[in-house]
Amino acid sequence: MQGKGVTADEHSLLVSPGFRYAIDIGKLQIVPGVAFPIGFGPSKGEYGAFAYLSFEHSLF
């Protein structure tokens, strides 16, 4: 049990395999991606999904 002002350590180990791909359209680059975090060791049994989307535009 934790009281006021007391902290507890928590450890985790996640590996997040995934991929992303860049699409060039003129000076615009669109980068979609996806990853699937998987827990190991103290995080065993934890799973998830992560989606990524980036729009990059050249200023010059």
Side-chain angles (χ1 to χ4, degrees), residues 35-58:
F36 301 97
I38 302 168
F40 291 93
S43 302
K44 186 177 179 178
E46 293 185 24
Y47 301 95
F50 177 80
Y52 172 87
L53 181 61
S54 174
F55 297 92
E56 312 271 337
H57 194 278
S58 174

Side-chain angles (χ1 to χ4, degrees), residues 10-60:
E10 184 175 319
H11 301 279
S12 63
L13 175 61
L14 295 172
V15 176
S16 191
F19 66 93
R20 66 182 193 161
Y21 183 76
I23 303 163
D24 292 320
I25 303 172
K27 290 186 175 184
L28 176 66
Q29 185 178 65
I30 302 170
V31 184
V34 65
F36 301 97
I38 302 168
F40 291 93
S43 302
K44 186 177 179 178
E46 293 185 24
Y47 301 95
F50 177 80
Y52 172 87
L53 181 61
S54 174
F55 297 92
E56 312 271 337
H57 194 278
S58 174
L59 296 175
F60 303 101

